[in-house]
Amino acid sequence: MKTRFLYVLIFLFTINNFAQTNTCGITVNNTFSTPRDLPEGWTEYNTSGRVTVEAGKLKFDHNTNMPSVYHTFSPTSNNSTFSFDVSATRNSVNCRIHLVSSTGKHLSSVAIGIGTATIKYATAMESGIPGSFVSGTPAVSFPTNTVFTISTQVDFDSKKVNFYSNGELMATDIPFLEDAEDIAKIDIQLIYMYANNGQFYFDNISLLSGEENRLLLTNNINAAESLLESVTIGTAYNQYPQSAVDAFQLVIDDAIAVIADCESTSATIDSSISNLELAQEVFLSSRVNDPVLKIYSGYDFSGEEHEIYCGYYNGTLGTYDDWAVSFTLEKGYMATFAENINGTGASKVYIASDDDLSINLTQDLQKKASFIRVSPWNDVHKKGMSAKGTDVVAALNNSWHYNWGTSGAAVGDAEFVPNQWSGGSVAKAVSLGERMDISHYMAFNEPDGEKQANMSVDLAIEKYEYMLASGLRLGSPANKDNAKGGVWRDEFMTKAEAKGYRVDYIVVHYYKKTTPQSFYNWLKAIHDKWKRPIWVKEFNYGATWTAQPASNEAARDGLLAYMNMLDDTSFIERYSVFTWQPDKPIYSLMSVRNPITLSSSGIMYRDHESPVAYTQEIYEQGEPLSTNDNSISSQVLVSPTVITDGFFNLRYSDTIKNSNIELLTIYNTAGQLVMRESSLNNSKIDVNKLSGGLYIVKIKSDLGIFTEKIIIQ
């Protein structure tokens, strides 16, 4: 949506295309409202007929040549802001927009989509043309079919420019490329598009002259409007109350009135800037983040209470580490408790999807949880999408999606689920756990296949342990639907359970062209064996290596029969069809990928309504701890816990001495083992090799496990 400010400019300054006027400092303004081959005032060069007006925008149609246009106007030396809206059908492009003086000197140049598909600006002239393009801070990517408002603020007093993207400053005080005394020309060159085809669009090209404070207020209005457009209104986490939105909008409207009034004084504009900045601070502070989790030091919600907000707490619980016995959790949220700060040991995900939860932790977690993650919970539907491309996700009306990777975000209301294709690390798991917009995390893609993740079970177990550090609801590796895949799955699950690793649901692939009953029987055997819900991460009614349906209509009917069975099966949580196979369009959901054209199977999948995915779990209520459960804690002493000389003392009772002490280990806050001491004959432990920070000391014996936090300074 265009910013309100641009609409106001159009309303207030009703002028012919590229009319030149000094009303409120407008030098150039064009909204391309009249369709024509080439807008009046523009001159096309390098090509002919490749630059036109379409749907109210200046359209560049690329081929092997380089469509370029320029427009000249009366020179102005006023401090100014040059602004335009831009979008493209591809992100691998190179389009350059230059500001040029009446003597042919370049003031500034912006490159759209250059290099790694980012928005950049020139820093030097190279062989007579702008060059040495660099990204701003922050760097701004340029995805396809996304409108950006780019602004260049020109200061003739200092002969420097500032660059903005969607109202956000990305570069400041960049010197003019050449010694220019005025602005007299806008020059646009579409140099490159991937595969030599695609379209580039410009709209709302304007040059606004004025003093610094008027330009600053203009940018602040744009930024405030963009902020309001991006937020979600509501009463849940990360949403904004309607009352706060209304109050902020009133201040924005006042600022728009000030900037639209040509008689506004500098003092009035400065006051409006201050009011707008203060209103934005107040608005941002209204974001909902209530303490939705309450933990208690006693059984049945007795003892001391501690409130916890949505967030990721691994080694940061402080006094409340190894503290919680019971908890309450508000409806619409999920919480993960784990014994160790890397998410390992005893762990459990609790989801309040239907009602508030009131839970006594099981004995393996009572007074032992060093890890808690709290995040929103979304009641998505079973039907999802396996697709690379947000346009595909949107076109097929999905409730969730994944892209075989860990980078992605929601598409509309479709929740993103990261998929660790192979490998993985604690650092990656932690970064995912810190995100509050995701709740699930799937393990490796067909590790039993040589052309896929291709992992041994032992390697997968090692890497899966890292994934536990996310605190997300975890899915098993997804195996092929053959005997080898089944053997691999069984070995993985056996070893994962032996190590106490949490696997919340089984993920499978299925491409057999058979009957819904045969498909169901295969799924039920897996469910009965491992007692977990199942996600069918990839499936279709056939594949490139199977017998093909007679037609896309036959494929549609077979796929619908599969989906109806999955919808009716209580232990199936989610499913997603493999979307498109160009060489086998009969069973694909799309007959064409770009632009997206749905087949009859795709139309059916888009229109199909599936039930809610998750069924509320009935959780076990833990029994109170007996008096002996924590006996080891009183028989071991680590001192000091704040270490300044590189050593700490370890003292333990005769009972511990006579038990079988296996080893002492020390972990960092990422859950990585950094030190192992197999012989505890010495009571003085040397930690000089460890850098400063927080660590966890763990001692295993026949009497149990002792843990203590130490800080090395």
Side-chain angles (χ1 to χ4, degrees), residues 433-492:
E434 290 171 340
R435 290 179 56 172
M436 294 290 103
D437 62 327
I438 58 177
S439 53
H440 295 77
Y441 187 12
M442 295 185 291
F444 321 115
N445 190 79
E446 295 187 359
D448 51 303
E450 293 181 358
K451 295 183 179 180
Q452 297 298 316
N454 192 24
M455 302 167 70
S456 69
V457 171
D458 287 338
L459 177 59
I461 287 289
E462 175 189 336
K463 298 299 184 181
Y464 188 86
E465 179 182 3
Y466 297 159
M467 294 176 63
L468 289 163
S470 69
L472 296 164
R473 195 162 179 258
L474 297 181
S476 72
N479 299 109
K480 293 185 176 182
D481 54 14
N482 53 27
K484 181 181 178 182
V487 170
W488 198 102
R489 178 189 305 110
D490 289 348
E491 184 181 349
F492 175 87

Side-chain angles (χ1 to χ4, degrees), residues 415-436:
E415 181 184 76
F416 174 67
V417 178
N419 180 196
Q420 190 66 53
W421 196 86
S422 66
S425 66
V426 169
K428 171 58 67 176
V430 169
S431 66
L432 290 173
E434 290 171 340
R435 290 179 56 172
M436 294 290 103

Side-chain angles (χ1 to χ4, degrees), residues 6 9-10 15 18 26-32 39 42 56-58 60 69 71 73 81-86 97 99 150 186-188 201-208:
L6 288 173
L9 285 181
I10 296 165
I15 53 177
F18 297 99
I26 290 294
T27 304
V28 174
N29 180 269
N30 196 314
T31 59
F32 303 105
W42 288 96
K57 297 180 180 180
L58 187 66
F60 288 68
V69 295
H71 178 76
F73 47 90
T81 294
F82 171 55
S83 180
F84 56 88
D85 293 350
V86 62
I97 304 93
L99 282 184
I150 309 299
I186 299 167
D187 189 1
I188 305 175
Y201 297 95
F202 286 86
D203 197 8
N204 295 305
I205 299 177
S206 63
L207 187 69
L208 173 65

Side-chain angles (χ1 to χ4, degrees), residues 511-515 540-552 554-555 558-559 562 583-588:
Y511 284 101
K512 288 183 168 60
K513 179 174 170 286
T514 182
T515 65
N540 210 321
Y541 186 64
T544 55
W545 57 88
T546 70
Q548 296 296 295
S551 63
N552 189 253
L559 179 60
Y562 278 2
D583 57 344
K584 296 292 183 181
I586 285 179
Y587 71 93
S588 295

Side-chain angles (χ1 to χ4, degrees), residues 281-348:
E281 290 180 10
V282 172
F283 175 70
L284 290 173
S285 69
S286 73
R287 183 175 65 93
V288 178
N289 187 12
D290 298 328
V292 296
L293 175 69
K294 296 179 181 179
I295 58 177
Y296 299 85
S297 61
Y299 191 79
D300 271 346
F301 327 108
S302 62
E304 186 181 347
E305 175 189 279
H306 177 59
E307 296 181 331
I308 297 182
Y309 296 80
C310 284
Y312 179 83
Y313 308 91
N314 66 331
T316 59
L317 289 170
T319 304
Y320 303 99
D321 179 54
D322 296 337
W323 186 86
V325 174
S326 56
F327 72 88
T328 60
L329 179 67
E330 289 187 13
K331 178 183 175 181
Y333 294 89
M334 63 178 279
T336 303
F337 290 80
E339 182 180 1
N340 302 322
I341 60 173
N342 61 353
T344 59
S347 68
K348 179 69 179 177

Side-chain angles (χ1 to χ4, degrees), residues 533-672:
I534 293 178
W535 287 26
V536 188
K537 173 172 154 274
E538 288 183 26
F539 81 107
N540 210 321
Y541 186 64
T544 55
W545 57 88
T546 70
Q548 296 296 295
S551 63
N552 189 253
E553 288 69 28
R556 175 198 62 200
D557 295 343
L559 179 60
L560 178 58
Y562 278 2
M563 292 162 58
N564 288 335
M565 178 273 293
L566 296 173
D567 286 341
D568 293 338
T569 301
S570 60
F571 59 80
I572 298 298
E573 274 195 0
R574 302 193 188 190
Y575 59 78
S576 58
V577 169
F578 191 82
T579 313
W580 188 50
Q581 194 70 41
D583 57 344
K584 296 292 183 181
I586 285 179
Y587 71 93
S588 295
L589 301 190
M590 298 183 297
S591 55
V592 178
R593 174 63 179 85
N594 189 13
I596 294 173
T597 304
L598 298 182
S599 64
S600 59
S601 293
I603 294 171
M604 178 276 295
Y605 197 78
R606 179 196 65 193
D607 296 340
H608 183 79
E609 297 291 337
S610 62
V612 172
Y614 177 77
T615 301
Q616 178 68 68
E617 183 177 345
I618 306 301
Y619 296 106
E620 174 189 359
Q621 293 285 347
E623 296 294 331
L625 287 176
S626 66
T627 56
N628 293 325
D629 282 335
N630 287 323
S631 58
I632 189 173
S633 298
S634 62
Q635 299 186 56
V636 180
L637 176 65
V638 169
S639 68
T641 55
V642 178
I643 301 166
T644 59
D645 61 356
F647 295 89
F648 69 83
N649 298 309
L650 180 65
R651 296 185 176 88
Y652 38 88
S653 68
D654 290 340
T655 303
I656 295 293
K657 287 181 181 179
N658 295 330
S659 69
N660 180 23
I661 300 177
E662 295 183 22
L663 75 163
L664 177 145
T665 51
I666 300 179
Y667 297 83
N668 62 19
T669 55
Q672 298 167 318

